[in-house]
Amino acid sequence: MAILLTGGAGYIGSHTAIELLNKGREIVIIDDFSNSNEKVLENIKKITNKDFKFYQIDYKDREQLEKVFEENKIDSVINFAGFKAVGESVQKPLEYYFNNVSGAIILLDTMRKYDCKKFIFSSSATVYGNPERVPITENSRVGGTTNPYGTTKLMIEKILEDLYKSDNTWDICVLRYFNPVGSHESGLIGEEPKGIPNNLMPYIVRVASGELEQLSVFGNDYETPDGTGVRDYIHVVDLSIGHVKALEKLEKEGQGLYIYNLGTGTGYSVLDMVHTFEKATGQKVNYKIAPRRPGDIAACYADPTKAKEELGWVAEKNLEDMCKDSWNYIQTVQRR
């Protein structure tokens, strides 16, 4: 039986594909390359020495999606498909609601038709909105999302909750990511957004490499130790291993709706990240202080205790690892 990875050529999907293939699992990837590219697929094969099936389709295309289920014995689905840039979502809310929410509904409906009821969803810490307190546990209040991206994640979580209430033969795991950064140690795959990066780490490495001139630090007047925003940065490989652990739980324990925070439990500021990057790589990062961005909050970091106790999962890589691997990836890209 195969595991379907929607958006599997993307940043987190591709790293999870590697972890699953290294575990000897059979996978099928679908992706439309709207925020990824074909070479990622070859690099996954190069890293793992394993092959897999791939379909270039939009997951909202029901007819094409059904073809994937007809041609493969799909046992479970990990949904990585979806637009993911906070700032862009504020400017393009309709596109985000249509792609993320409609796509998830079509995917779940197709799964139901083919009696495939194991589902892992890539959610986000943005569902907590502006948190009442940190660190954030899974029981913290959700809602009050500050941007359409976060609202799409919250809407899909609610859909999953109602779906499970209506039919508890589903096995559902919601993974609330904090801030994924870093790259595979091989340097062959990593975060490579199309156009100007929206996230901090890919922007930092492009400034350090000379591709971009300067990093804008959005706001230095938050109520944080140095005034810049504090986030829980997690290495993408640690995050990917969390998906494998979640899948193993669903396969072992069966029916349920489970929710886990995937983070390190430590908050670092934007300037912490800049200074750690400089120390870890020896590269200078030019930056300037800019006004706050709409939709941003002061501090957000996880209490990952539940994932440790129930999944046996702990993030093992530190901020220096994240910086070194990100720099290694951009250098590899520029050498190609």
Side-chain angles (χ1 to χ4, degrees):
M1 300 295 275
I3 304 150
L4 177 64
L5 277 61
T6 63
Y11 177 44
I12 301 165
S14 60
H15 285 84
T16 304
I18 288 168
E19 297 304 321
L20 288 166
L21 289 167
N22 283 341
K23 285 269 188 181
R25 308 301 295 264
E26 181 187 349
I27 66 169
V28 176
I29 290 177
I30 66 172
D31 206 298
D32 65 356
F33 299 128
S34 59
N35 199 27
S36 57
N37 58 60
E38 291 178 58
K39 70 181 180 192
V40 170
L41 303 173
E42 290 309 311
N43 287 334
I44 293 170
K45 292 173 186 175
K46 200 179 288 185
I47 291 165
T48 61
N49 291 315
K50 304 270 177 64
D51 202 0
F52 53 86
K53 268 194 173 181
F54 170 73
Y55 295 80
Q56 185 175 346
I57 65 167
D58 181 337
Y59 82 140
K60 299 189 301 299
D61 186 331
R62 190 185 294 265
E63 191 177 319
Q64 290 293 314
L65 191 59
E66 289 195 3
K67 183 169 178 273
V68 175
F69 278 85
E70 290 282 357
E71 294 179 0
N72 302 277
K73 290 182 178 177
I74 306 291
D75 179 58
S76 50
V77 175
I78 308 179
N79 182 21
F80 297 105
F83 296 155
K84 61 177 187 174
V86 168
E88 184 182 62
S89 77
V90 175
Q91 296 161 350
K92 298 180 175 179
L94 291 181
E95 287 84 346
Y96 271 69
Y97 288 117
F98 181 58
N99 187 69
N100 294 8
V101 181
S102 299
I105 291 169
I106 290 165
L107 176 60
L108 290 163
D109 194 36
T110 305
M111 289 176 65
R112 181 173 61 177
K113 179 176 178 178
Y114 289 89
D115 197 33
C116 171
K117 293 185 174 179
K118 283 187 176 61
F119 186 71
I120 296 174
F121 176 56
S122 299
S123 192
S124 163
T126 53
V127 301
Y128 295 113
N130 200 341
E132 295 169 311
R133 63 184 68 86
V134 288
I136 300 167
T137 70
E138 289 81 356
N139 293 324
S140 298
R141 177 186 59 80
V142 295
T145 46
T146 58
N147 53 74
Y149 164 74
T151 307
T152 67
K153 295 296 187 184
L154 188 61
M155 283 175 147
I156 297 165
E157 284 199 17
K158 183 62 181 167
I159 289 165
L160 293 171
E161 186 184 315
D162 290 341
L163 177 61
Y164 183 72
K165 278 180 191 169
S166 73
D167 178 3
N168 61 17
T169 63
W170 283 81
D171 310 330
I172 298 169
C173 191
V174 171
L175 300 178
R176 291 174 178 160
Y177 306 166
F178 280 69
N179 291 68
V181 295
S183 302
H184 192 267
E185 63 183 4
S186 65
L188 290 173
I189 63 167
E191 190 169 11
E192 197 171 339
K194 293 187 175 178
I196 301 295
N198 286 289
N199 295 333
L200 179 61
M201 183 65 93
Y203 211 106
I204 285 176
V205 296
R206 282 158 181 79
V207 171
S209 71
E211 188 180 326
L212 294 171
E213 187 180 339
Q214 193 175 52
L215 170 72
S216 291
V217 176
F218 297 106
N220 67 342
D221 56 350
Y222 289 106
E223 289 186 27
T224 61
D226 62 19
T228 64
V230 168
R231 299 291 182 269
D232 188 335
Y233 297 99
I234 175 172
H235 198 294
V236 66
V237 172
D238 280 333
L239 185 64
S240 300
I241 292 167
H243 290 75
V244 178
K245 298 278 191 182
L247 182 63
E248 288 169 351
K249 180 182 177 72
L250 292 186
E251 290 172 340
K252 182 181 171 188
E253 297 188 19
Q255 291 131 16
L257 171 59
Y258 309 97
I259 297 173
Y260 298 102
N261 287 336
L262 294 186
T264 64
T266 304
Y268 293 101
S269 74
V270 176
L271 292 182
D272 285 335
M273 178 71 92
V274 169
H275 299 324
T276 303
F277 182 88
E278 290 179 331
K279 182 184 167 194
T281 66
Q283 301 298 313
K284 178 74 178 153
V285 179
N286 294 319
Y287 70 88
K288 66 174 182 181
I289 304 300
R292 294 185 185 190
R293 281 186 306 192
D296 277 350
I297 59 176
C300 179
Y301 56 95
D303 178 343
T305 305
K306 188 180 176 190
K308 180 181 180 181
E309 291 176 349
E310 297 188 15
L311 299 179
W313 174 88
V314 177
E316 294 180 352
K317 294 178 183 285
N318 62 29
L319 201 57
E320 285 202 8
D321 296 326
M322 301 175 208
C323 292
K324 285 176 181 172
D325 289 342
S326 297
W327 180 238
N328 180 42
Y329 175 67
I330 198 75
Q331 287 184 299
T332 305
V333 168
Q334 290 181 335
R335 283 196 296 265
R336 282 177 196 153

